[in-house]
Amino acid sequence: MKTTVIETYSPRETYALGRKLGQEGTPGQIYTLTGDLGVGKTVFTQGFAAGLGVEGPVNSPTFTILQIYEGGRLPFYHFDVYRIADVEEMEEIGYEDCFYGEGVCLIEWADLIEEILPGNCRRIIMEKDLEKGFDYRRITIEV
Ligand code: ADP
Ligand code: MG
């Protein structure tokens, strides 16, 4: 496994990183996003969606767990599992069709559903470091 660390200094740079990975997205990929509230998971996701060619606004589907976007180059499955109480809720929404389908999945707060994550997920970890500035983010990508 290879790990790449990318440092960004603005939301725009994080968006651009997401867009680049979205442009490279292939069917069946699952990206997991971990990091504290406000670290930039949704900003990254918005870039990723743009990279896949999804038009229109992409917001955090915090109250719905899953938002599906069909308008891009590939289906885009955006999960935000922050408010999940039990992984059974993932079964209720039919997550397997997304995880094992032809689109790309991106899961915010993926550590909360660790037990159902396939082994081939690409992990993205986002961290702040206030000593390096308010807008600094360290983004570790496992590929
Ligand atoms: P999360 O989804 O992780 O809770 P959001 O993406 O919703 O976080 O919010 C991130 C916030 O941090 C936004 O207000 C964004 O403008 C701000 N921000 C500041 N610097 C950065 C950066 N380098 N990358 C991403 N977001 C940043
Ligand atoms: Mg979010």
Side-chain angles (χ1 to χ4, degrees), residues 62 109 137 143:
T62 294
W109 297 100
R137 302 292 189 267
V143 288

Side-chain angles (χ1 to χ4, degrees), residues 25 30 39 41 43 58 63-64 76 79 89 105 110 117-118 124 130:
I30 303 175
V39 79
K41 298 182 293 299
V43 169
V58 171
F63 296 98
T64 56
F76 178 46
F79 294 82
E89 288 177 49
C105 294
L117 292 177
I124 298 177
L130 290 177

